[in-house]
Amino acid sequence: MRRAPTLLALLLVGLVTACGGGEDAAPGGAGQDGVRLGFSQVGTESAWRLANTRSIEHAATNAGVRLDLRIADGKQENQAAAIREFISADVDVIAFSPVVETGWDTLLQEARDAGIPVIVTDRMVDTTDTSLFVTMLGSDFTAEGRKAGEWLVEHYRDRHGRVRIVEIEGTAGSAPANQRRAGFAEAIKADRDLQVIGSGDGDFTRAQGEQVMAGFLAAHTGIDAVFAHNDDEGLGAVEAIEAAGKRPGTDIKIITVDASRDGLAALAEGRLNYVVECNPLLGSQLMELVGKVTTGQTVPRRVVVDETAFDREAAKAVLHNRQY
Ligand code: AHR
C-alpha cells in the first residue's frame, strides 16, 4: 500500500468539528485495509490514556489497518526513537500523540523527506511550519480550561472575599497542561477575587496529584478550590484532602478534566464538583483520516472533538454506560 504522492497539495485548509463521543465502529471501505500505521503513544499515565490506546487498537483491527503501536513511557526521546523506526520501516502513515509540545521539527522534517505523512493526535505540536503534519485530531484544551474556570466564576458569584485556588497541572510542557492553564486563567479573570495561590506538576497521575495536593495542604491554610488538569490528579487530591481530615467536594471544591468513569463516579458521590469532558475515543476518526490520507483524499487541517461538561446530576445520568 503506497501513500498518495500529491497528498499535501490535496489538503483542505479549515476547521471541522466532529463528534468523538461514539465507540469505534469500523469506518470500513475508506481505503484503510492493509495500510501500515506507526503510532507512538504518550504512555500509560491515566485512565484517559489507556482508553485512548484501546480505542486506537480496536479501530485499527476493525478497519484492517496494520498497527505498529509503541508506548513512550512519557519520554520524548522514546517517541523520537519510535518515529525514526517507523521511517526506517517505511510505514504508510505515522501518527503520534506528543508528550510535550516543542522539539519536533527535525523529526517531522525527516518524515517529510521520507515521503511519509504524519497525523498529530490528541496533543498539538508547537512548530513554525505547520505543513510538516497533514492534520491534527484532538480536543480543544483551552476551551476545557475555560469551562473549568467559568464554573468557578459562577459558583462563587455571590461570595465576597478572596477565593483561594490551587492548580494541579498536567505534565510540564505538554499541550493539555499549557492550554488548560491558559484557558482557566482567562476565565477566572472575570472575578478578581478568584486567585491561584499555588500550582504544581501532577504529571497527569493519581499518585503525583495526591503528593502535590498534600504539599499544598501543608503549605496553605484555607484552600477553597482545586483545579486538577485531569481526573486522575483530582482523585489523588481527594485522597490527600481526606487524609488531612477535610471533606473533598464540600470543604474544598474540586474541578477536573476527562470525565472518566472513576471521575464521574466521584462526581456523582459529591467528592468532585464539576468535570469537563475530554474524549479519548479517537480511534475511528483516526482510522478514517488514515484511509483518506493514504488514498489522496482531502482532510481538514484540524479535527476538533465535540465535548461537554458534567455536574453531579449529569454524571449520575450517564454513569451507567460510560465507556471509559
Ligand atoms: O492529552 C490528554 C490528556 O492526557 C488527558 O487529559 C490526560 O488524562 C492524559 O494523560
mmCIF file of all heavy atoms in Angstrom, residues 53-84:
data_model
loop_
_atom_site.group_PDB
_atom_site.id
_atom_site.type_symbol
_atom_site.label_atom_id
_atom_site.label_comp_id
_atom_site.label_asym_id
_atom_site.label_seq_id
_atom_site.Cartn_x
_atom_site.Cartn_y
_atom_site.Cartn_z
ATOM 1 N N THR A 53 -5.641 4.340 23.976
ATOM 2 C CA THR A 53 -4.872 3.262 23.336
ATOM 3 C C THR A 53 -5.812 2.131 22.892
ATOM 4 O O THR A 53 -5.727 1.645 21.768
ATOM 5 C CB THR A 53 -3.801 2.719 24.316
ATOM 6 O OG1 THR A 53 -2.939 3.798 24.671
ATOM 7 C CG2 THR A 53 -2.981 1.604 23.684
ATOM 8 N N ARG A 54 -6.724 1.752 23.786
ATOM 9 C CA ARG A 54 -7.684 0.679 23.447
ATOM 10 C C ARG A 54 -8.510 1.080 22.238
ATOM 11 O O ARG A 54 -8.765 0.271 21.333
ATOM 12 C CB ARG A 54 -8.635 0.420 24.633
ATOM 13 C CG ARG A 54 -8.058 -0.472 25.708
ATOM 14 C CD ARG A 54 -9.163 -1.008 26.630
ATOM 15 N NE ARG A 54 -10.000 0.043 27.208
ATOM 16 C CZ ARG A 54 -9.732 0.674 28.345
ATOM 17 N NH1 ARG A 54 -8.653 0.363 29.033
ATOM 18 N NH2 ARG A 54 -10.548 1.596 28.805
ATOM 19 N N SER A 55 -8.944 2.336 22.209
ATOM 20 C CA SER A 55 -9.786 2.821 21.116
ATOM 21 C C SER A 55 -9.046 2.717 19.777
ATOM 22 O O SER A 55 -9.611 2.284 18.767
ATOM 23 C CB SER A 55 -10.185 4.276 21.406
ATOM 24 O OG SER A 55 -10.748 4.886 20.280
ATOM 25 N N ILE A 56 -7.775 3.095 19.787
ATOM 26 C CA ILE A 56 -6.988 3.064 18.548
ATOM 27 C C ILE A 56 -6.728 1.614 18.116
ATOM 28 O O ILE A 56 -6.857 1.276 16.930
ATOM 29 C CB ILE A 56 -5.693 3.887 18.735
ATOM 30 C CG1 ILE A 56 -6.068 5.373 18.799
ATOM 31 C CG2 ILE A 56 -4.682 3.619 17.623
ATOM 32 C CD1 ILE A 56 -4.990 6.292 19.296
ATOM 33 N N GLU A 57 -6.409 0.756 19.063
ATOM 34 C CA GLU A 57 -6.173 -0.662 18.719
ATOM 35 C C GLU A 57 -7.437 -1.287 18.133
ATOM 36 O O GLU A 57 -7.398 -1.982 17.113
ATOM 37 C CB GLU A 57 -5.745 -1.443 19.975
ATOM 38 C CG GLU A 57 -4.336 -1.136 20.421
ATOM 39 C CD GLU A 57 -3.965 -1.873 21.706
ATOM 40 O OE1 GLU A 57 -4.813 -1.966 22.619
ATOM 41 O OE2 GLU A 57 -2.831 -2.343 21.801
ATOM 42 N N HIS A 58 -8.547 -1.026 18.793
ATOM 43 C CA HIS A 58 -9.823 -1.599 18.385
ATOM 44 C C HIS A 58 -10.207 -1.119 16.987
ATOM 45 O O HIS A 58 -10.582 -1.911 16.101
ATOM 46 C CB HIS A 58 -10.876 -1.187 19.425
ATOM 47 C CG HIS A 58 -12.218 -1.792 19.210
ATOM 48 N ND1 HIS A 58 -13.374 -1.043 19.251
ATOM 49 C CD2 HIS A 58 -12.603 -3.040 18.931
ATOM 50 C CE1 HIS A 58 -14.407 -1.833 19.002
ATOM 51 N NE2 HIS A 58 -13.961 -3.047 18.815
ATOM 52 N N ALA A 59 -10.090 0.192 16.777
ATOM 53 C CA ALA A 59 -10.476 0.760 15.480
ATOM 54 C C ALA A 59 -9.548 0.270 14.365
ATOM 55 O O ALA A 59 -9.995 0.035 13.242
ATOM 56 C CB ALA A 59 -10.463 2.283 15.554
ATOM 57 N N ALA A 60 -8.270 0.104 14.677
ATOM 58 C CA ALA A 60 -7.325 -0.387 13.661
ATOM 59 C C ALA A 60 -7.699 -1.804 13.261
ATOM 60 O O ALA A 60 -7.738 -2.143 12.064
ATOM 61 C CB ALA A 60 -5.906 -0.334 14.212
ATOM 62 N N THR A 61 -8.010 -2.634 14.227
ATOM 63 C CA THR A 61 -8.409 -4.013 13.933
ATOM 64 C C THR A 61 -9.649 -4.016 13.049
ATOM 65 O O THR A 61 -9.711 -4.723 12.038
ATOM 66 C CB THR A 61 -8.701 -4.778 15.246
ATOM 67 O OG1 THR A 61 -7.528 -4.735 16.041
ATOM 68 C CG2 THR A 61 -9.088 -6.220 14.983
ATOM 69 N N ASN A 62 -10.622 -3.218 13.423
ATOM 70 C CA ASN A 62 -11.876 -3.169 12.651
ATOM 71 C C ASN A 62 -11.661 -2.687 11.224
ATOM 72 O O ASN A 62 -12.365 -3.117 10.306
ATOM 73 C CB ASN A 62 -12.890 -2.253 13.332
ATOM 74 C CG ASN A 62 -13.512 -2.903 14.545
ATOM 75 O OD1 ASN A 62 -13.365 -4.108 14.742
ATOM 76 N ND2 ASN A 62 -14.179 -2.121 15.367
ATOM 77 N N ALA A 63 -10.719 -1.777 11.051
ATOM 78 C CA ALA A 63 -10.506 -1.182 9.724
ATOM 79 C C ALA A 63 -9.492 -1.969 8.892
ATOM 80 O O ALA A 63 -9.237 -1.622 7.741
ATOM 81 C CB ALA A 63 -10.047 0.262 9.883
ATOM 82 N N GLY A 64 -8.894 -3.007 9.487
ATOM 83 C CA GLY A 64 -7.886 -3.782 8.753
ATOM 84 C C GLY A 64 -6.560 -3.060 8.625
ATOM 85 O O GLY A 64 -5.728 -3.395 7.789
ATOM 86 N N VAL A 65 -6.333 -2.068 9.501
ATOM 87 C CA VAL A 65 -5.066 -1.329 9.491
ATOM 88 C C VAL A 65 -4.016 -2.132 10.256
ATOM 89 O O VAL A 65 -4.288 -2.670 11.321
ATOM 90 C CB VAL A 65 -5.260 0.068 10.143
ATOM 91 C CG1 VAL A 65 -3.929 0.730 10.454
ATOM 92 C CG2 VAL A 65 -6.090 0.957 9.235
ATOM 93 N N ARG A 66 -2.818 -2.221 9.694
ATOM 94 C CA ARG A 66 -1.727 -2.939 10.367
ATOM 95 C C ARG A 66 -1.020 -1.947 11.289
ATOM 96 O O ARG A 66 -0.192 -1.153 10.850
ATOM 97 C CB ARG A 66 -0.777 -3.525 9.329
ATOM 98 C CG ARG A 66 -1.437 -4.678 8.557
ATOM 99 C CD ARG A 66 -0.794 -4.899 7.217
ATOM 100 N NE ARG A 66 0.619 -5.213 7.341
ATOM 101 C CZ ARG A 66 1.472 -5.188 6.321
ATOM 102 N NH1 ARG A 66 1.048 -4.852 5.111
ATOM 103 N NH2 ARG A 66 2.731 -5.503 6.493
ATOM 104 N N LEU A 67 -1.374 -2.020 12.548
ATOM 105 C CA LEU A 67 -0.912 -1.028 13.530
ATOM 106 C C LEU A 67 0.386 -1.459 14.194
ATOM 107 O O LEU A 67 0.470 -2.550 14.743
ATOM 108 C CB LEU A 67 -2.008 -0.839 14.597
ATOM 109 C CG LEU A 67 -1.684 0.075 15.774
ATOM 110 C CD1 LEU A 67 -1.572 1.528 15.319
ATOM 111 C CD2 LEU A 67 -2.770 -0.048 16.858
ATOM 112 N N ASP A 68 1.385 -0.594 14.152
ATOM 113 C CA ASP A 68 2.607 -0.800 14.937
ATOM 114 C C ASP A 68 2.549 0.224 16.077
ATOM 115 O O ASP A 68 2.797 1.411 15.869
ATOM 116 C CB ASP A 68 3.837 -0.575 14.056
ATOM 117 C CG ASP A 68 5.135 -0.899 14.797
ATOM 118 O OD1 ASP A 68 5.082 -1.111 16.017
ATOM 119 O OD2 ASP A 68 6.199 -0.914 14.149
ATOM 120 N N LEU A 69 2.169 -0.239 17.269
ATOM 121 C CA LEU A 69 1.944 0.653 18.402
ATOM 122 C C LEU A 69 3.168 0.669 19.312
ATOM 123 O O LEU A 69 3.640 -0.381 19.742
ATOM 124 C CB LEU A 69 0.722 0.166 19.196
ATOM 125 C CG LEU A 69 0.467 0.832 20.539
ATOM 126 C CD1 LEU A 69 -0.033 2.258 20.372
ATOM 127 C CD2 LEU A 69 -0.546 0.016 21.356
ATOM 128 N N ARG A 70 3.674 1.845 19.619
ATOM 129 C CA ARG A 70 4.790 1.972 20.575
ATOM 130 C C ARG A 70 4.371 2.907 21.700
ATOM 131 O O ARG A 70 3.852 3.990 21.437
ATOM 132 C CB ARG A 70 6.031 2.562 19.908
ATOM 133 C CG ARG A 70 6.464 1.877 18.633
ATOM 134 C CD ARG A 70 7.045 0.497 18.897
ATOM 135 N NE ARG A 70 7.325 -0.128 17.612
ATOM 136 C CZ ARG A 70 8.492 -0.031 16.962
ATOM 137 N NH1 ARG A 70 9.481 0.654 17.505
ATOM 138 N NH2 ARG A 70 8.654 -0.607 15.789
ATOM 139 N N ILE A 71 4.638 2.488 22.922
ATOM 140 C CA ILE A 71 4.288 3.290 24.100
ATOM 141 C C ILE A 71 5.576 3.950 24.619
ATOM 142 O O ILE A 71 6.561 3.261 24.886
ATOM 143 C CB ILE A 71 3.697 2.403 25.224
ATOM 144 C CG1 ILE A 71 2.556 1.507 24.705
ATOM 145 C CG2 ILE A 71 3.260 3.250 26.413
ATOM 146 C CD1 ILE A 71 1.254 2.167 24.442
ATOM 147 N N ALA A 72 5.552 5.269 24.753
ATOM 148 C CA ALA A 72 6.790 6.021 25.024
ATOM 149 C C ALA A 72 7.110 6.217 26.506
ATOM 150 O O ALA A 72 8.120 6.848 26.832
ATOM 151 C CB ALA A 72 6.722 7.373 24.334
ATOM 152 N N ASP A 73 6.267 5.730 27.394
ATOM 153 C CA ASP A 73 6.501 5.896 28.840
ATOM 154 C C ASP A 73 6.774 7.351 29.230
ATOM 155 O O ASP A 73 7.625 7.640 30.081
ATOM 156 C CB ASP A 73 7.671 5.011 29.307
ATOM 157 C CG ASP A 73 7.341 3.537 29.158
ATOM 158 O OD1 ASP A 73 6.150 3.185 29.270
ATOM 159 O OD2 ASP A 73 8.267 2.745 28.900
ATOM 160 N N GLY A 74 6.084 8.263 28.565
ATOM 161 C CA GLY A 74 6.186 9.684 28.930
ATOM 162 C C GLY A 74 7.497 10.343 28.536
ATOM 163 O O GLY A 74 7.800 11.434 29.020
ATOM 164 N N LYS A 75 8.271 9.710 27.660
ATOM 165 C CA LYS A 75 9.592 10.269 27.320
ATOM 166 C C LYS A 75 9.652 10.666 25.846
ATOM 167 O O LYS A 75 9.442 9.835 24.957
ATOM 168 C CB LYS A 75 10.686 9.249 27.608
ATOM 169 C CG LYS A 75 10.832 8.908 29.071
ATOM 170 C CD LYS A 75 12.142 8.138 29.299
ATOM 171 C CE LYS A 75 12.416 7.932 30.770
ATOM 172 N NZ LYS A 75 11.539 6.930 31.377
ATOM 173 N N GLN A 76 10.010 11.926 25.612
ATOM 174 C CA GLN A 76 10.091 12.420 24.244
ATOM 175 C C GLN A 76 11.142 11.639 23.445
ATOM 176 O O GLN A 76 10.942 11.335 22.263
ATOM 177 C CB GLN A 76 10.451 13.914 24.233
ATOM 178 C CG GLN A 76 10.422 14.519 22.838
ATOM 179 C CD GLN A 76 10.568 16.037 22.850
ATOM 180 O OE1 GLN A 76 11.171 16.591 23.777
ATOM 181 N NE2 GLN A 76 10.020 16.704 21.858
ATOM 182 N N GLU A 77 12.246 11.278 24.090
ATOM 183 C CA GLU A 77 13.296 10.546 23.358
ATOM 184 C C GLU A 77 12.799 9.178 22.891
ATOM 185 O O GLU A 77 13.202 8.689 21.834
ATOM 186 C CB GLU A 77 14.593 10.440 24.172
ATOM 187 C CG GLU A 77 14.500 9.697 25.496
ATOM 188 C CD GLU A 77 14.199 10.617 26.678
ATOM 189 O OE1 GLU A 77 13.525 11.652 26.483
ATOM 190 O OE2 GLU A 77 14.607 10.270 27.801
ATOM 191 N N ASN A 78 11.911 8.562 23.662
ATOM 192 C CA ASN A 78 11.351 7.273 23.226
ATOM 193 C C ASN A 78 10.455 7.466 22.002
ATOM 194 O O ASN A 78 10.426 6.637 21.094
ATOM 195 C CB ASN A 78 10.527 6.627 24.343
ATOM 196 C CG ASN A 78 11.397 6.162 25.497
ATOM 197 O OD1 ASN A 78 12.619 6.173 25.389
ATOM 198 N ND2 ASN A 78 10.769 5.760 26.588
ATOM 199 N N GLN A 79 9.727 8.585 22.001
ATOM 200 C CA GLN A 79 8.868 8.851 20.834
ATOM 201 C C GLN A 79 9.718 9.108 19.596
ATOM 202 O O GLN A 79 9.408 8.630 18.503
ATOM 203 C CB GLN A 79 7.956 10.057 21.105
ATOM 204 C CG GLN A 79 6.875 9.750 22.123
ATOM 205 C CD GLN A 79 5.702 10.694 22.032
ATOM 206 O OE1 GLN A 79 5.868 11.891 22.263
ATOM 207 N NE2 GLN A 79 4.522 10.173 21.722
ATOM 208 N N ALA A 80 10.801 9.865 19.777
ATOM 209 C CA ALA A 80 11.680 10.158 18.636
ATOM 210 C C ALA A 80 12.249 8.858 18.071
ATOM 211 O O ALA A 80 12.281 8.656 16.847
ATOM 212 C CB ALA A 80 12.792 11.103 19.071
ATOM 213 N N ALA A 81 12.684 7.956 18.969
ATOM 214 C CA ALA A 81 13.258 6.679 18.503
ATOM 215 C C ALA A 81 12.213 5.865 17.758
ATOM 216 O O ALA A 81 12.486 5.283 16.690
ATOM 217 C CB ALA A 81 13.801 5.895 19.691
ATOM 218 N N ALA A 82 10.996 5.836 18.282
ATOM 219 C CA ALA A 82 9.922 5.055 17.636
ATOM 220 C C ALA A 82 9.611 5.629 16.255
ATOM 221 O O ALA A 82 9.469 4.886 15.270
ATOM 222 C CB ALA A 82 8.672 5.062 18.508
ATOM 223 N N ILE A 83 9.528 6.947 16.187
ATOM 224 C CA ILE A 83 9.182 7.577 14.900
ATOM 225 C C ILE A 83 10.292 7.322 13.875
ATOM 226 O O ILE A 83 10.025 7.053 12.706
ATOM 227 C CB ILE A 83 8.878 9.080 15.103
ATOM 228 C CG1 ILE A 83 7.563 9.215 15.880
ATOM 229 C CG2 ILE A 83 8.798 9.820 13.765
ATOM 230 C CD1 ILE A 83 7.230 10.612 16.367
ATOM 231 N N ARG A 84 11.538 7.351 14.332
ATOM 232 C CA ARG A 84 12.646 7.051 13.390
ATOM 233 C C ARG A 84 12.559 5.586 12.921
ATOM 234 O O ARG A 84 12.846 5.291 11.760
ATOM 235 C CB ARG A 84 13.999 7.340 14.029
ATOM 236 C CG ARG A 84 14.224 8.834 14.214
ATOM 237 C CD ARG A 84 15.687 9.258 14.263
ATOM 238 N NE ARG A 84 15.758 10.704 14.088
ATOM 239 C CZ ARG A 84 15.835 11.606 15.090
ATOM 240 N NH1 ARG A 84 15.882 11.208 16.344
ATOM 241 N NH2 ARG A 84 15.870 12.905 14.828
#
